Amino acid sequence: MSLEYYRNLITSRFRDVNKVLMICSGKGGVGKTFVSTCLSQALRDRGLSVGLLDLDIHGFTTHRLLGLRNPPKILEEEHPVMVKGLFYLSPVVLVEERALPLRGLYKEKAVIDLLACVKWPRLDYLVIDMPPGFGDEVTIPMRYLRHKSCAVIVATRDALSLSVVSRLIEVLRSEKLRVAGVIFNFSNIFKLDLSLDVDVVGEIPLIECVERALSEGDSPYERCIEVREVFSKLAERIIHRAEC
Amino acid sequence: MHEWSIADSIVATLLQLVERGGISQPIKRVVIQVGKLVQIEKDILLFALRELSKNTPLERTEFVLKEEDTVFRCNNCGYTWSWDDVVKELEREIQDKDLRKAYLESMHMVPSMIYAFNKCPRCGSTDFEIIKGFDLSIEKIETQ
């Protein structure tokens, strides 16, 4: 179908969403999904109506970071599922833990269909856990949702991550996507002081409890008070900056 | 069951074409081709198209749905198979009817999810193409 057809469909699906927060990273393994899920929970705990969409088609793990041991298996009547006070959609709801070996056109179409398949209710924020990099999975949501979106970049202060982040910022700017700022993860380990052309929203140290929570199938946000404290502050700053 | 949403977007897209002058004559017939993989309820989609066209320039437009078989080709060994083979394999592999229904519903909502449930029946590879019947498309718009 045409670009216009999908634009109409996706626009109607996101009509009641006030703001989309696209959580992006240039590289994998920097903690993007950790930030997406904890930020969603922190926004929810401020009394806001929040959705979480996992678009990391090959590496979807938001359900694990939410501590969902048995994720819902079916979408009912084109609505996202409700888990832990969040409106939620992830490939895990559609295919469980099966691998999704998608390539090229099929990957592009999967992202479009994930954007188009449910009607999001009235939300203050929809947090999208984007895949790493800036391929189709990243440019497609920008194409359809840029008018109500802000990017939040997750990075680590090391030379490799920062060089890729610079390129990501270049792409986000050329696509006219507003950038709320960058969150530096593992800030007590990676400390390279290189300036980026975006504001720093906050820093997250390596919190010991996180790994333990994950290995036992729990949500780090629910289990670790340090995580909740860090994300409570980050949520406040994001709310302020996302209104840019 | 997202036929109404699909119909809504088809009608909106056609009306935009008319409003923007892309089509100057009234639209007599629209032929929509849909792959079996999408598992559209044809009657519901046609009903929705007719309902949503009422009191618009598409009120007299005839909508025609053409279902096309979905055919897969393995990039590893060249074998081809069809949507019916996929359904049979699912019936064989998954005994739980509700779970099978949930998987089919997943592919209805997001057809690319077929990649989680399908593999070449001959060599087992997941590196396959969908050579026809992947999507839903407007095949033809006929004006008066």
Side-chain angles (χ1 to χ4, degrees):
Chain A
M1 283 298 248
S2 69
L3 186 72
E4 285 307 313
Y5 167 82
Y6 286 114
R7 200 180 294 285
N8 287 326
L9 187 52
I10 293 170
T11 300
S12 74
R13 298 306 210 180
F14 283 78
R15 183 158 290 134
D16 297 328
V17 176
N18 175 50
K19 181 71 72 181
V20 175
L21 298 173
M22 295 184 180
I23 314 297
C24 310
S25 71
K27 278 175 68 64
V30 294
K32 178 181 47 56
T33 305
F34 172 63
V35 169
S36 302
T37 50
C38 294
L39 181 61
S40 303
Q41 290 167 297
L43 289 166
R44 173 206 62 198
D45 286 351
R46 298 177 78 88
L48 298 164
S49 175
V50 182
L52 174 62
L53 170 60
D54 192 336
L55 279 188
D56 193 348
I57 285 175
H58 293 142
F60 51 93
T61 50
T62 48
H63 58 292
R64 291 192 172 270
L65 279 133
L66 289 172
L68 301 179
R69 288 185 168 85
N70 293 300
K73 285 196 187 76
I74 190 164
L75 290 173
E76 287 178 15
E77 301 294 331
E78 304 176 56
H79 297 305
V81 295
M82 170 62 88
V83 293
K84 300 194 172 185
L86 298 170
F87 293 95
Y88 179 63
L89 177 63
S90 156
V92 80
V93 177
L94 300 163
V95 303
E96 300 174 294
E97 293 275 7
R98 288 168 178 249
L100 258 179
L102 290 161
R103 296 159 290 110
L105 163 73
Y106 308 109
K107 188 164 63 173
E108 189 179 325
K109 185 65 173 38
V111 174
I112 292 173
D113 285 336
L114 280 169
L115 290 172
C117 74
V118 295
K119 169 88 175 89
W120 292 94
R122 192 167 295 282
L123 295 178
D124 297 303
Y125 292 96
L126 175 70
V127 176
I128 303 185
D129 186 38
M130 306 281 269
F134 25 88
D136 290 337
E137 306 99 303
V138 176
T139 53
I140 289 168
M142 287 185 217
R143 184 187 305 157
Y144 293 107
L145 299 171
R146 67 162 61 80
H147 60 289
K148 54 170 73 183
S149 299
C150 259
V152 177
I153 298 166
V154 182
T156 49
R157 284 191 184 274
D158 67 277
L160 296 182
S161 170
L162 291 174
S163 73
V164 181
V165 165
S166 300
R167 278 176 255 157
L168 174 63
I169 293 169
E170 195 181 320
V171 172
L172 298 175
R173 294 245 160 93
S174 64
E175 292 305 313
K176 309 272 188 295
L177 190 75
R178 290 171 293 173
V179 179
V182 61
I183 294 173
F184 286 115
N185 198 15
F186 309 126
S187 59
N188 52 346
I189 296 178
F190 299 104
K191 299 180 176 177
L192 188 68
D193 189 18
L194 270 182
S195 65
L196 286 169
D197 188 19
V198 289
D199 294 336
V200 177
V201 181
E203 312 228 352
I204 308 169
L206 177 68
I207 299 170
E208 209 179 300
C209 170
V210 170
E211 193 49 46
R212 208 164 45 244
L214 287 174
S215 65
E216 292 173 15
D218 292 336
S219 151
Y221 181 87
E222 288 168 7
R223 181 140 157 197
C224 314
I225 188 162
E226 304 99 304
V227 173
R228 290 198 295 279
E229 284 171 357
V230 166
F231 276 93
S232 174
K233 289 177 193 156
L234 279 174
E236 188 178 342
R237 292 185 205 144
I238 294 280
I239 288 169
H240 176 67
R241 287 166 188 274
E243 295 310 319
C244 53
Chain B
M1 294 293 285
H2 59 160
E3 283 76 3
W4 276 88
S5 315
I6 291 172
D8 189 43
S9 297
I10 290 174
V11 169
T13 306
L14 290 169
L15 289 175
Q16 280 168 0
L17 263 176
V18 172
E19 281 163 19
R20 291 174 189 171
I23 297 174
S24 52
Q25 303 291 318
I27 299 176
K28 191 170 108 190
R29 215 161 81 107
V30 175
V31 181
I32 298 161
Q33 187 155 293
V34 58
K36 272 190 176 179
L37 165 62
V38 187
Q39 304 166 77
I40 286 287
E41 294 277 355
K42 286 184 281 185
D43 293 345
I44 297 175
L45 181 60
L46 282 173
F47 177 74
L49 286 165
R50 282 194 289 266
E51 283 297 306
L52 294 167
S53 298
K54 281 181 181 167
N55 304 315
T56 78
L58 301 174
E59 185 150 28
R60 292 173 187 278
T61 301
E62 180 195 3
F63 291 96
V64 178
L65 281 188
K66 278 173 62 182
E67 192 174 61
E68 180 183 47
D69 195 11
T70 303
V71 178
F72 309 90
R73 185 180 57 223
C74 178
N75 286 327
N76 187 48
C77 72
Y79 188 75
T80 61
W81 68 103
S82 72
W83 170 248
D84 291 343
D85 299 321
V86 175
V87 175
K88 275 184 211 149
E89 182 59 23
L90 268 179
E91 283 169 0
R92 197 185 62 78
E93 195 188 314
I94 298 157
Q95 306 300 318
D96 182 336
K97 276 185 184 171
D98 291 338
L99 187 59
R100 200 163 63 228
K101 192 176 159 202
Y103 289 161
L104 288 167
E105 181 70 10
S106 293
M107 291 181 262
H108 170 57
M109 301 297 286
V110 182
S112 297
M113 296 296 126
I114 182 78
Y115 274 83
F117 302 104
N118 192 15
K119 60 189 177 188
C120 172
R122 187 159 74 179
C123 75
S125 174
T126 53
D127 179 9
F128 60 86
E129 304 292 335
I130 303 171
I131 54 177
K132 67 173 192 159
F134 175 44
D135 202 359
L136 180 139
S137 59
I138 294 177
E139 189 190 72
K140 207 188 292 179
I141 299 174
E142 292 174 15
T143 54
Q144 286 177 353

